[in-house]
Amino acid sequence: MEGQPKLWNSNYLKVWIGNFLIHFSFTLIVPLLPLYLSDTFGANKQTIGLCLAGYTIMALIIRPFSGYVVDNFPRKAVLLVCYFFFFALFGGYLLAGSLVMFTIFRTLHGAPFGATTVAASTVAIDALPSERRTEGIGYYGLSNNLATVIGPIIAIYALEAFSGNFQVLFWMSFVISLSGLLLEATLKLPRRDYIPEKKVLSFDRFFLIKGWREALTMLCFSFSYGVVSTYVAIYGKEELGMTGGTGLFFSLLAVGLILSRLTGAHALRENKVSRNATIGVLVSVCGYCLFAALKTPLGYYGAALIIGLGNGHMYPAFQNMFINLAPNSQRGTANSSILTAWDAGNGLGVLLGGLLSEHLGYGAAFWSAFIINAAGVIYYFCRTRMHFESNKLR
């Protein structure tokens, strides 16, 4: 746009691609891990849920501390250290010869993932000109969305091409995450020296207390996503008889995410954050209802597109809410807070989704996803939206 500073500057572009590679290496294996654990180790649904929940719980624990570290130490150094451990721990999956060892490596991997994503998103916000920050945050999420669609599709094709050899996927994630680390090493950021904390540390330095209503709402939405995204592959195979449907599901999900990000960018540019959030939460809850109610390919694929359209509006709007509620000195804390809320809900979704599907069936798991999502929508209209409009700083 004429007269406005450049949005896609070198640093922003590098951290955007680096974030894509983080999530690409992540989503390359996540949707197929329940199948891997079931086929390789004979794990049942409850065990799968417990095994996979450890990753999210570890990310949840590390998020608040990583926000504090990002706000107080040189951000490039923090990003590179965290990214290195994220890359290195993919090697653990290659070495794990038992379910116990795999669970240990998977759980440990959650820590650098949680810290790296906080550091990367904070660096991205720093790289954006202030006049285009709200818009840029929306576009930044496209890197996640593209990874979401490409990762599962390539994973499925690779698995078929190599006769179901999951080791190939682990090697691919290992190499892709290394390329992201090398790219981030070329960032040229202004020097940020360590500034000792002069006041007594408080909980607000680790979590944005002012945004607890927004965090509670986000937790409800991520719970639903955790249930559906984790068990969609094994559900499609066991209940609907669709052995190759996961790739198309995530493709449609990402198409919805990308379309809504692009169409919502104009509203974010005009600072219509609540408007985007409102559209997103209403569309998303319809998608979860369709997924639970219609146990057919139409419900399966239609819900993917609708959930994508809703989440693509909702998530960047909520991220802007957290950023706009925090002073500039707590930018890292604001980022870690929304990611902490997302991880908490996602982890509960993975864990409880596994328990419910094991003992009551997939129907109970997916209806619980809809009910919790609907509760989040109700709370958003009753409290969250009004709180944000009354307390935003920018």
Side-chain angles (χ1 to χ4, degrees):
M1 192 176 295
E2 188 177 354
Q4 287 196 333
K6 184 179 180 181
L7 176 65
W8 295 92
N9 59 69
S10 175
N11 280 330
Y12 179 67
L13 186 59
K14 286 177 182 178
V15 77
W16 192 97
I17 296 172
N19 188 59
F20 167 83
L21 294 173
I22 292 172
H23 287 87
F24 180 69
S25 57
F26 172 73
T27 58
L28 192 65
I29 62 173
V30 166
L32 297 175
L33 283 181
L35 293 176
Y36 170 71
L37 296 176
S38 176
D39 295 346
T40 305
F41 301 114
N44 60 29
K45 300 182 190 71
Q46 181 175 335
T47 303
I48 291 170
L50 290 170
C51 176
L52 299 183
Y55 181 96
T56 307
I57 292 170
M58 184 61 75
L60 172 64
I61 292 170
I62 205 70
R63 296 279 199 200
F65 301 100
S66 56
Y68 173 78
V69 171
V70 166
D71 279 336
N72 289 277
F73 288 85
R75 283 176 180 162
K76 180 179 177 179
V78 173
L79 174 60
L80 293 181
V81 169
C82 297
Y83 213 133
F84 171 80
F85 284 105
F86 173 72
F87 140 73
L89 278 169
F90 276 113
Y93 303 150
L94 295 164
L95 299 175
S98 66
L99 181 61
V100 172
M101 286 303 298
F102 183 90
T103 303
I104 291 172
F105 282 118
R106 182 66 182 166
T107 300
L108 290 174
H109 207 180
F113 175 77
T116 304
T117 48
V118 169
S121 59
T122 307
V123 169
I125 293 169
D126 284 347
L128 288 165
S130 58
E131 299 92 333
R132 307 194 70 178
R133 184 168 294 140
T134 303
E135 177 188 6
I137 290 172
Y139 282 124
Y140 181 74
L142 277 174
S143 57
N144 303 8
N145 303 152
L146 289 172
T148 300
V149 61
I150 298 172
I153 293 173
I154 290 182
I156 290 166
Y157 284 129
L159 209 56
E160 291 176 353
F162 291 93
S163 305
N165 186 353
F166 282 90
Q167 297 295 307
V168 173
L169 299 183
F170 299 147
W171 272 113
M172 289 173 66
S173 291
F174 184 81
V175 172
I176 291 164
S177 58
L178 173 60
S179 65
L181 172 63
L182 296 175
L183 176 66
E184 300 287 35
T186 67
L187 284 168
K188 291 181 171 57
L189 303 178
R191 180 178 176 83
R192 273 176 56 93
D193 295 321
Y194 168 60
I195 304 172
E197 187 74 38
K198 295 180 180 178
K199 60 182 179 181
V200 178
L201 288 182
S202 64
F203 183 69
D204 195 44
R205 296 302 292 121
F206 300 96
F207 186 86
L208 190 68
I209 297 175
K210 194 176 180 181
W212 72 264
R213 295 168 185 82
E214 289 74 14
L216 180 60
T217 311
M218 178 58 70
L219 185 148
C220 293
F221 299 152
S222 63
F223 175 92
S224 309
Y225 187 79
V227 174
V228 171
S229 64
T230 302
Y231 298 102
V232 65
I234 197 167
Y235 163 71
K237 179 181 178 181
E238 293 184 0
E239 297 287 321
L240 303 180
M242 299 188 304
T243 55
T246 309
L248 181 56
F249 178 92
F250 281 98
S251 296
L252 291 169
L253 178 72
V255 167
L257 286 165
I258 293 167
L259 287 175
S260 57
R261 294 271 189 178
L262 294 174
T263 57
H266 179 71
L268 289 178
R269 188 160 56 238
E270 296 181 349
N271 214 27
K272 296 178 180 178
V273 175
S274 294
R275 175 182 176 274
N276 264 25
T278 299
I279 293 172
V281 302
L282 290 175
V283 173
S284 292
V285 74
C286 294
Y288 288 109
C289 182
L290 178 64
F291 192 86
L294 198 58
K295 297 180 180 180
T296 65
L298 178 61
Y300 186 86
Y301 295 124
L305 181 63
I306 295 171
I307 291 170
L309 288 169
N311 282 6
H313 277 292
M314 177 272 295
Y315 190 89
F318 268 79
Q319 188 172 16
N320 272 293
M321 285 182 177
F322 278 85
I323 297 300
N324 291 342
L325 287 171
N328 290 338
S329 61
Q330 287 187 277
R331 203 171 276 169
T333 302
N335 273 314
S336 70
S337 297
I338 183 174
L339 292 169
T340 297
W342 181 268
D343 286 342
N346 195 64
L348 287 171
V350 172
L351 184 60
L352 295 181
L355 291 170
L356 289 172
S357 59
E358 176 71 20
H359 297 290
L360 299 175
Y362 289 111
F366 296 139
W367 275 116
S368 74
F370 165 69
I371 291 169
I372 297 298
N373 195 279
V377 173
I378 293 169
Y379 187 76
Y380 167 77
F381 281 107
C382 291
R383 299 297 301 274
T384 306
R385 184 172 61 169
M386 187 185 309
H387 171 264
F388 168 71
E389 291 297 337
S390 301
N391 292 274
K392 61 184 179 181
L393 301 178
R394 290 175 283 276

